[in-house]
Every structure is written in C-alpha cells, then in structure tokens.
Amino acid sequence: MPRGVYIHIPFCLSKCPYCDFASRPGKFSGELEQYLSALQTEISQRAEGRATTVYFGGGTPSLCSAAQIKTLMDALAHNLRLSPQAEITLEMNPATMALSSLAAFRQAGINRLSIGVQSTSQRSLRLLGRTHTALQARTTIQKARRANFTNVSCDLIHGLPTQSQEEFQADLNTLLSWEPDQISLYALQLEPWTPMAQQIQNKTMPQPDDDLTAKMYEWARAVFLRKGFIQHEISSFSRPGKTCRHNLLYWRGDPYLGLGAAAHSYEQGVRTWNCSDIAEYIQKVSKGGQAQAGREALEGRKRKAERLIIGLRLTSGVNKQKMRHNFGKDWKKEFVKAFQDMKQAGLLMENSEFIRLTPRGMLLADVVSRAII
Ligand code: SF4
C-alpha cells in the first residue's frame, strides 16, 4: 500500500492576509536551525517502514537551504525505505527564488516542485499580499526546467474580491503559457480571523462573488480538459502521468505520517496531530518527548462519512466495492437519504461501481459534504 510522509516547515517570509495555515513570519534563522534539528529527532522517533511519497509543505519549505533539505532526506533514508520511484515534492514560494539553487534541491533528492504562483497578475498578487512578482514566478518555473525538474506544479487562486472574469481568464492563460505540468486551482477561502476576511467584514474590501467564482471554475475546467489536462480531483488538473501522487494518497484514504509542528498523520482510521506551537514542538521533541497533541479514532458512521467526503473529491469518485470490503455490505444504509437528495439535486451520480460528484456537484461539494455528515 502507498504510504506518504509529510514534513511541515512552518516559517514564511511574511504572513499573507488570507492565510490560515500553520505558519508564521519573522526573523527566525536560529529558530529554523533548532526546528530542523527537532525534526531530525522526530524522524528518528517515528519514521519506519516504507514510503512512496515525501512532501515538504508549509509555510515555506523553500526557505530552507538545499543542504538542510538534504539533511532531512538523509535522516528519512536512514529510518525508512524510500521506494526508488518515490515522488519527493517541495513547496516553493517564488519570493525565495534568489535564496536557493534549484539544481541543489534537485541534487538533494527533490523531484517535484509545487510553486505558489497564486496569480500572474500584479494587481491580484498585491491584493493577496504576496511578496513576489509574476516575473519571479515565471523565472522560477524556467529555472526549475533548467535544473531538470520534469514535474512542476503551480497553485492558482480564483474568486478574489474585485476580480473579473476577464482578469481571471487572462491570469490562467498566462499561467498555461508557462507550461506547468499541473495546476491546482483553488477558490479563495477565508477563515473569519484572517486579516482579509476582517477587511471584508469591515466593508473596506468587497465580498467575492460566489456565482462569478463558480463561473470562473467552470470556464477553467473546460479549458483544462480541452488542452489535454486530466482532472483527478476537484481542484487538480495535470498533464498525463503528472498528478501529485502524495495528494492522491490523501484522497484515497491511504496512510501517511506527518512530521513537524501542526502536522497530521493517518493510519487505519486513526488520526493524530502534533502541537502547532513551534517553540513547544522544539522543546518537547528535543527533550526526547512526543509532540503529539491529539488523537482521534474514527469509527462507525463517522469513519464512513469521512471516507465518502474525501473520496468524492476525486473525479473517479468512491469505489463501492472498496466501501463494501472495508465497511461491510450494509455500508450505504445510513446514507441512502443523503444520496437520494443529492442525486435529485443533480449533485451526485451513481452506477454499479462508483458514486461520484456531477460537474455541478464539484462546484457545490460543501453542500454534498454537509448532507453526508
Ligand atoms: S506563503 Fe503560503 S503559508 Fe506562508 S503566509 Fe503566504 S499563503 Fe500562508
């Protein structure tokens, strides 16, 4: 069975006003060193068995030097068996481009880059509070190709306040002209405590238009499919063979080990997570203790519901045979009414093998999730 390792690097150059991830800015070089050393300790405590994917996420992992990433890779290789074809991804902020050599990251074992482009429009980048330019994003992709990265993914956000359909179309067309292997297309989601959500609440920034956001997504999806991209998941469009295997593992319910502050792990229906405070993480792990802050055993209806909600994000949907195998022949009983309602609403479809979202259901996946819960 595929098994992934996620390594969280919780530091950033600055905090983007829409961001709710476990990350923080600041002058941290001393703390980064201590954090990486704690990570090595946690790797030696918890990494074992075999891994098919490794994902350095954040935060901004590209703030680390290639030598620091290599040290973590060596620690992993010392404690577990990395499959020879392992996919090893590093998230990269174009603003850190000058700090690191992409060729050195490649030599450290990274073979896939996930670049936080977010937009190719200067106006949108300013609105998002990003500290890089569109040119830096483009140059990062070009440098990645020169450094022999054959799998380069880019994140793009749509549905920004004041963003028009025409602006978004230009944005996506520009990104496509840079020829990434995968584009993850996210609608802007704002948690109420983020500065951008507060600006909207104070009416100093307009609310994004949900209908327009849906229209942008539908337009983009049609463009991707016309251009030969494959959609594996609601927001993920990739060239054949270039889909992120690490993310596929999350969506399929396969096990993964999360290392670092705030990192989550999952195995056999049990989810655990580490403390999110960086200083607490360093202190606990450096003293040989565990950083685990919580544990939840998913059972019964809850476990089935979670499997359905995550699995339905895949365009292939949820395999009914697999559900029967994992949960017994009556697995569907508790969801019959929800499935009926969602099918009537045109959000869900079912055949003898799969249950999956319709194209409209992909736009309203939250509605389907709420019905299933
Ligand atoms: S770079 Fe990414 S993780 Fe860091 S603050 Fe911005 S959105 Fe959040």
Side-chain angles (χ1 to χ4, degrees):
M1 182 183 282
R3 195 166 193 276
V5 177
Y6 174 81
I7 297 185
H8 190 66
I9 307 292
F11 301 102
C12 289
L13 287 171
S14 60
K15 189 76 180 170
C16 305
Y18 61 92
C19 176
D20 177 47
F21 296 143
S23 69
R24 69 169 164 78
K27 292 202 175 294
F28 43 71
S29 65
E31 202 179 8
L32 176 63
E33 290 289 349
Q34 288 173 20
Y35 180 80
L36 295 176
S37 158
L39 261 177
Q40 282 184 68
T41 306
E42 197 189 9
I43 289 171
S44 67
Q45 289 170 341
R46 299 183 61 207
E48 59 180 9
R50 178 174 161 264
T52 50
T53 62
V54 179
Y55 193 102
F56 290 93
T60 304
S62 56
L63 279 174
C64 297
S65 67
Q68 288 168 326
I69 294 292
K70 170 92 170 62
T71 305
L72 295 176
M73 287 300 300
D74 288 346
L76 281 176
H78 189 70
N79 288 280
L80 50 71
R81 275 173 292 123
L82 257 183
S83 86
Q85 306 304 324
E87 173 194 271
I88 302 166
T89 303
L90 181 92
E91 284 182 355
M92 175 134 209
N93 183 334
T96 63
M97 186 186 68
L99 298 178
S100 50
S101 150
L102 285 165
F105 278 134
R106 188 77 189 83
Q107 275 162 18
I110 304 297
N111 55 26
R112 181 176 179 276
L113 287 180
S114 173
I115 302 174
V117 175
Q118 316 307 0
S119 176
T120 64
S121 134
Q122 279 311 129
R123 191 184 87 83
S124 296
L125 287 172
R126 267 196 305 277
L127 193 85
L128 288 167
R130 302 289 297 186
T131 54
H132 60 87
T133 62
L135 181 63
Q136 280 174 307
R138 184 185 185 181
T139 310
T140 304
I141 297 173
Q142 289 169 338
K143 282 186 162 187
R145 295 303 190 198
R146 282 201 294 273
N148 203 22
F149 280 96
T150 56
N151 196 343
V152 175
S153 175
C154 294
D155 289 349
L156 186 72
I157 301 181
H158 69 297
L160 310 184
T162 75
Q163 186 181 36
S164 68
Q165 175 79 12
E166 292 70 30
E167 273 179 300
F168 172 67
Q169 291 183 194
D171 202 355
L172 179 59
N173 282 331
T174 303
L175 183 54
L176 284 167
S177 74
W178 298 350
E179 301 186 336
D181 300 296
Q182 179 177 349
I183 295 179
S184 293
L185 179 67
Y186 300 110
L188 182 69
Q189 299 270 351
L190 294 172
E191 296 298 342
W193 49 85
T194 56
M196 195 183 266
Q198 280 159 14
Q199 277 181 283
I200 291 171
Q201 219 178 343
N202 302 337
K203 302 199 186 314
T204 51
M205 186 180 277
Q207 180 90 30
D209 178 333
D210 287 346
D211 291 339
L212 184 56
T213 303
K215 200 173 143 199
M216 289 174 187
Y217 175 83
E218 282 176 326
W219 178 84
R221 184 169 181 269
V223 170
F224 283 128
L225 299 182
R226 206 168 54 238
K227 289 190 176 285
F229 281 75
I230 294 170
Q231 183 178 22
H232 277 284
E233 187 261 356
I234 295 175
S235 46
S236 159
F237 300 87
S238 57
R239 292 282 175 207
K242 300 296 171 87
T243 302
C244 178
R245 278 157 46 204
H246 187 82
N247 286 341
L248 274 179
L249 182 141
Y250 292 146
W251 299 319
R252 289 178 175 156
D254 293 331
Y256 55 88
L257 172 70
L259 300 162
H264 282 58
S265 304
Y266 177 82
E267 179 132 31
Q268 301 277 0
V270 178
R271 192 168 34 217
T272 59
W273 54 94
N274 281 351
C275 59
S276 53
D277 185 83
I278 299 170
E280 185 186 346
Y281 172 82
I282 295 172
Q283 200 201 25
K284 283 187 168 161
V285 177
S286 308
K287 286 187 176 160
Q290 298 281 323
Q292 188 176 313
R295 179 184 192 277
E296 185 183 19
L298 297 167
E299 279 159 7
R301 190 184 195 287
K302 198 171 179 186
R303 187 167 172 191
K304 283 181 250 179
E306 176 159 315
R307 188 78 297 281
L308 282 169
I309 289 167
I310 297 174
L312 281 172
R313 292 192 65 84
L314 291 165
T315 49
S316 58
V318 171
N319 182 313
K320 288 160 65 174
Q321 166 73 33
K322 216 169 156 186
M323 289 298 281
R324 265 194 300 277
H325 175 78
N326 290 336
F327 301 111
K329 64 177 171 42
D330 290 334
W331 71 270
K332 225 169 120 181
K333 215 166 64 187
E334 294 143 298
F335 305 102
V336 170
K337 168 92 173 71
F339 288 168
Q340 261 168 11
D341 291 349
M342 293 299 101
K343 280 194 261 182
Q344 265 168 20
L347 305 183
L348 210 60
M349 55 185 163
E350 184 173 3
N351 62 22
S352 57
E353 287 177 67
F354 288 94
I355 298 181
R356 59 171 70 102
L357 295 174
T358 60
R360 189 172 138 72
M362 286 192 193
L363 286 169
L364 297 169
D366 287 353
V367 174
V368 179
S369 300
R370 281 198 294 275
I372 289 171
I373 285 170

